Amino acid sequence: MGKESILEIKNIRKSFKDHEVLKNVSLNVDRGEVVSIIGPSGSGKSTILRCATLLERMDGGTLKYKGDIAASDESGTMVYADRNELKRIRRCFGLVFQSFNLFPHYTVLKNIVEPVVLSGQCDADEAKERAMGLLERLGLEEKAEAYPGKLSGGQKQRVSIARALAMKPEILFFDEPTSALDPELTGEVLKVIKSLAAEHMTMVIVTHEMKFAREVSDRVIFLENGEIHSQGTSEELFASDNERLNAFIGKLEQR
Amino acid sequence: MAQWWAGVSETFARCFINEGRYKLLISGIGVTIKVSLLAIVLGMVIGFLIALCNLSKKKPLKIIGKVYTDVIRGTPSVTQLMIIYFVVFATINWAKWIIAAIAFGINSGAYVSEIIRAGILSIDRGQTEAGRSLGLTAKQTMMYIVIPQAVKNIFPAMGNEFITLIKETAIVGYVGLMDIQKAGDFIKSATYEAFMPLVGTAIIYFVLIKLLTIALTKYEAYLRKSEKR
Ligand SMILES: Nc1ncnc2c1ncn2[C@@H]1O[C@H](COP(=O)(O)OP(=O)(O)OP(=O)(O)O)[C@@H](O)[C@H]1O
Ligand SMILES: [Mg+2]
């Protein structure tokens, strides 16, 4: 059996005004793969995730999920799939934000249940069961009835991971999931992501945690100035003698 | 002193008791409240729709919203009231107070729409993005995620708008409705007394608005408390 492609990004381009943030970036992710994206601030890491998750319109290139075209440029203009197709495609992926973006007016449980129910995946009882299962797994079952405002950063991020997982995505994107956390709280979140990797969840992770990226990733991509500077397995990349790459990794590891 | 007091109470009786004049004021309070309440409800409905127009990405809707708010904010409310009453509803035989309430609702809608728009824009973009990335439609994200949170931010400004609206209705006398202001004015003409009827009118408005303010403050405190849970 061959590899099943989940995400296919080809030559995407994105500019804000006349600032070209992504220049011809391509990225393929197969089922079960864990890909990390590293790179300096402003290199366009978040923009890649935002284009892939349809939060940002791109200016050129092709975006496919499981072979279905979400967007592609046809003779110079971007064409997005129609509303129903996009709705279907949105179900393929989940996104975990740096700033959690939990819904403050809902309890932890409702944060997880409501999207599942509203998107018509299943009824409230089943969604609740699913949510409780996830909360238990992440060690948060006593927090089910708490409001997000009462949680620590690490707990919030774990809830937001549970919320994304409840949608049963085929691929999960993380945008610096631990950057907003106090250092002593990053561990609990990274542990969750590692356990997902162990179950062969397909993931694309933007991170500044070099040690974590090295341990968890099948492939690491180094992005610079909106272009893929280099990529490879974590052994390859972290053993590379490329000056620019080493300077970047070295700087982060010293912290 | 005793003489002064006798004078005062005689004037008071003449202004408010004789010929049952207090009844005028009481029914005036009724008119003011009826017009204000219906106008507030209409204003919120219209304001919400106009806010959605203003926030929409569709050009024609944007234009409708912009023109509406511009026209309403750029003309006096008396003029609007009179146009609605004597022109738009000239041939329609509805109760006066309902037509007046429609006019004030239309007026208030423009201000409410700005309040709602600002409230919606005050919600962090990450909330919308989270909703969308979790498979909610744009409409669901608005209804279940953004608006419930915006309501809390909107509340104080909305309370101010209610208060302004109640005071604005003091012009309904222009279309022949006997509200608090008009009742006071009527008593003034009938008794040739200015001080008591007009100060009395002011006191009635003040008490009405004070009561509303207290209720709004209580409710806002309640909302804040539920937010902190
Ligand atoms: N909405 C926007 N409007 C204008 N410029 C933007 C916008 N979003 C991002 N940019 C610019 O695009 C560039 C890439 O931003 P991006 O957020 O993708 O970087 P990043 O690699 O995620 O950086 P960081 O590590 O700081 O998160 C930056 O220069 C940023 O200023
Ligand atoms: Mg970023």
Side-chain angles (χ1 to χ4, degrees), chain A residues 103 105-106, chain B residues 127 136 140-149:
Chain A
F103 305 132
H105 59 307
Y106 288 161
Chain B
Q127 291 288 308
L136 307 197
Q140 286 175 328
T141 307
M142 197 45 120
M143 287 311 198
Y144 293 92
I145 308 302
V146 178
I147 289 177
Q149 296 183 58

Side-chain angles (χ1 to χ4, degrees), chain A residues 210 213-220 231-241 245-246 249:
Chain A
M210 289 304 130
R214 183 179 205 153
E215 285 168 13
V216 82
S217 328
D218 299 312
R219 192 144 52 93
V220 180
Q231 62 176 312
T233 63
S234 28
E235 294 82 29
E236 284 166 6
L237 212 76
F238 284 95
S240 156
D241 51 10
L245 181 56
N246 280 329
I249 294 172

Side-chain angles (χ1 to χ4, degrees), chain A residues 14-17 19-22 37-50 56 98 175-176 179 206 208 223 226, chain B residues 125:
Chain A
K14 172 75 190 171
S15 303
F16 291 107
K17 298 270 164 56
H19 177 193
E20 197 174 20
V21 175
L22 294 181
I37 302 178
I38 60 174
S41 182
S43 55
K45 304 180 299 293
S46 296
T47 307
I48 294 184
L49 294 200
R50 294 173 58 80
E56 209 78 71
Q98 180 177 348
D175 192 356
E176 299 192 30
S179 292
V206 171
H208 287 301
L223 198 72
Chain B
R125 204 169 54 139

Side-chain angles (χ1 to χ4, degrees), chain A residues 1-6 30-32 170 200:
Chain A
M1 217 177 78
K3 284 179 181 169
E4 184 195 356
S5 161
I6 299 286
D30 291 332
R31 186 179 291 283
E170 313 238 11
H200 305 291

Side-chain angles (χ1 to χ4, degrees), chain B residues 4-50:
Chain B
W4 175 82
W5 180 247
V8 168
S9 52
E10 191 271 333
T11 319
F12 185 88
R14 205 148 46 80
C15 288
F16 300 122
I17 316 276
N18 296 1
E19 299 178 35
R21 293 210 169 100
Y22 64 93
K23 286 186 199 149
L24 275 180
L25 283 168
I26 289 174
S27 80
I29 294 174
V31 170
T32 297
I33 290 178
K34 266 197 311 198
V35 172
S36 303
L37 278 184
L38 182 56
I40 284 170
V41 173
L42 290 173
M44 291 211 288
V45 174
I46 294 171
F48 183 65
L49 295 176
I50 296 296

Side-chain angles (χ1 to χ4, degrees), chain B:
Chain B
M1 181 70 198
Q3 208 176 0
W4 175 82
W5 180 247
V8 168
S9 52
E10 191 271 333
T11 319
F12 185 88
R14 205 148 46 80
C15 288
F16 300 122
I17 316 276
N18 296 1
E19 299 178 35
R21 293 210 169 100
Y22 64 93
K23 286 186 199 149
L24 275 180
L25 283 168
I26 289 174
S27 80
I29 294 174
V31 170
T32 297
I33 290 178
K34 266 197 311 198
V35 172
S36 303
L37 278 184
L38 182 56
I40 284 170
V41 173
L42 290 173
M44 291 211 288
V45 174
I46 294 171
F48 183 65
L49 295 176
I50 296 296
L52 290 186
C53 287
N54 281 328
L55 291 167
S56 157
K57 287 197 190 85
K58 301 199 178 79
K59 202 81 197 244
L61 289 181
K62 260 183 146 45
I63 293 173
I64 291 175
K66 178 95 174 70
V67 169
Y68 188 96
T69 26
D70 273 4
V71 168
I72 297 294
R73 294 208 290 189
T75 53
S77 30
V78 189
T79 317
Q80 292 163 17
L81 172 67
M82 292 178 77
I83 289 176
I84 299 285
Y85 189 84
F86 294 110
V87 181
V88 180
F89 281 85
T91 58
I92 299 172
N93 200 12
W94 287 6
K96 275 184 186 183
W97 75 270
I98 292 183
I99 300 175
I102 291 173
F104 286 110
I106 289 172
N107 174 278
S108 180
Y111 298 95
V112 169
S113 78
E114 285 302 292
I115 293 170
I116 293 180
R117 197 174 78 105
I120 287 175
L121 290 177
S122 74
I123 302 303
D124 184 60
R125 204 169 54 139
Q127 291 288 308
T128 310
E129 294 182 346
R132 297 294 278 145
S133 81
L134 286 161
L136 307 197
T137 63
K139 209 193 259 167
Q140 286 175 328
T141 307
M142 197 45 120
M143 287 311 198
Y144 293 92
I145 308 302
V146 178
I147 289 177
Q149 296 183 58
V151 165
K152 285 174 190 157
N153 296 354
I154 285 171
F155 198 80
M158 205 66 118
N160 285 339
E161 171 57 22
F162 294 169
I163 288 166
T164 308
L165 177 61
I166 292 174
K167 291 187 288 185
E168 288 261 297
T169 63
I171 57 172
V172 288
Y174 277 91
V175 298
L177 268 169
M178 184 74 94
D179 68 329
I180 301 170
Q181 179 64 43
K182 192 69 191 168
D185 191 39
F186 183 88
I187 294 170
K188 176 176 93 46
S189 311
T191 58
Y192 302 103
E193 283 290 340
F195 182 80
M196 280 213 187
L198 294 183
V199 171
T201 303
I203 290 173
I204 295 173
Y205 275 114
F206 182 80
V207 169
L208 220 54
I209 283 163
K210 199 76 202 167
L211 290 176
L212 178 64
T213 312
I214 291 170
L216 288 172
T217 314
K218 283 238 160 80
Y219 190 63
E220 198 192 337
Y222 166 77
L223 283 182
R224 295 238 166 277
K225 214 173 97 199
S226 70
E227 186 179 27
K228 282 214 197 91
R229 282 180 301 197

